Amino acid sequence: MKSTFLALATGLLSSIPLGLAAPARTHIQDARASNAGTPSCDLSSVTLPLAPTPLPSPDGLSLSLVAVGHGIQNYTCANSTAQATPAPIGAVARLYNASCLAASYPDLLAMIPNIVLSLPELSASDSSDSATTLGLSRIALSGHHYFSTKTTPVFELDSASDPLSHLGIVVGTKGANSTAPPSAPQGQNGAVPWLYLTATNASETVTTQGVVRVGADSQGNEWKAIYRLLTAGGSAPKTCEGLDDSSTGFSVDYSAVYYFYKGAS
């Protein structure tokens, strides 16, 4: 039912400031009152948000997963002076399956990163696996994002409670980027850029029988591209003045929407 489907996002709104929640509440109410019928999770008609600086197109590829990421961007400083600038050293985030929202309510999906960034009970620095849903919603955990080296992003997509929903591991390399639009939620220091990543041959897929394999799945498709769009927060301060210059560095909360594409091997 449509009302049940929209409850995926409604639970996120109960503990954030009214001014921030109001646009999303209005959108949900309008969707419930519409004659849109039963929502779809078919991703074939999903289009990517347009980046200020155009990113490579996913033409010829098939969208397999849309996930909301919530976590931290990590930085380090050589020293704590105004002459030093923070250097990125990766990120850690949980990934929540938002494919159905992307397919049926893309406008609502675009509001989610800002809402997630404002949830006090969702401590992005909490690296435990206890958060099986996004806040109080029923948007379920799909995987985890981390870096295997300072420059190698990894997306583990095998954390869903149902093993049949496991999708494998995507290892990426940066292909292109765009500054976030001026309307992006700024968080502490601004929104991190939108990214286009290509999947490397170290990525793994899962067959319909649950077999994990490097490269293509049983249909001959392999991971090809990842887009990080609709970012909220995550940027470092402009300088390291007054910041932690230890080897552990510091972290900044962020949220984003990730789009994962497959294509023929």
Side-chain angles (χ1 to χ4, degrees), residues 143-165:
H144 295 81
H145 171 39
Y146 59 93
F147 276 64
S148 59
T149 71
K150 291 182 180 180
T151 58
T152 304
V154 178
F155 302 87
E156 172 271 303
L157 305 177
D158 293 336
S159 296
S161 57
D162 181 3
L164 295 178
S165 297

Side-chain angles (χ1 to χ4, degrees), residues 28-213:
I28 291 173
Q29 290 167 358
D30 290 345
R32 281 176 169 155
S34 73
N35 295 317
T38 303
S40 169
C41 296
D42 179 5
L43 295 175
S44 61
S45 61
V46 171
T47 58
L48 292 175
L50 295 177
T53 300
L55 298 173
S57 169
D59 289 347
L61 303 180
S62 175
L63 183 59
S64 293
L65 173 69
V66 180
V68 173
H70 183 211
I72 50 176
Q73 295 285 325
N74 297 316
Y75 300 91
T76 188
C77 284
N79 57 64
S80 57
T81 69
Q83 287 68 48
T85 56
I89 53 172
V92 177
R94 292 187 291 267
L95 303 171
Y96 298 89
N97 192 332
S99 293
C100 294
L101 279 177
S104 293
Y105 303 105
D107 291 344
L108 179 57
L109 175 66
M111 301 177 187
I112 298 298
N114 191 24
I115 293 171
V116 169
L117 199 64
S118 303
L119 288 174
E121 73 273 20
L122 275 180
S123 173
S125 58
D126 177 11
S127 60
S128 72
D129 292 334
S130 59
T132 57
T133 59
L134 183 56
L136 300 177
S137 76
R138 281 179 277 168
I139 302 176
L141 183 69
S142 184
H144 295 81
H145 171 39
Y146 59 93
F147 276 64
S148 59
T149 71
K150 291 182 180 180
T151 58
T152 304
V154 178
F155 302 87
E156 172 271 303
L157 305 177
D158 293 336
S159 296
S161 57
D162 181 3
L164 295 178
S165 297
H166 292 182
L167 297 174
I169 296 176
V170 189
V171 181
T173 185
K174 184 177 177 181
N177 68 278
S178 168
T179 56
S183 59
Q186 297 299 294
Q188 299 175 45
N189 310 296
V192 288
W194 293 18
L195 297 179
Y196 163 75
L197 308 172
T198 57
T200 74
N201 57 13
S203 300
E204 299 177 355
T205 56
V206 178
T207 69
T208 53
Q209 292 77 34
V211 178
V212 178
R213 61 171 70 182

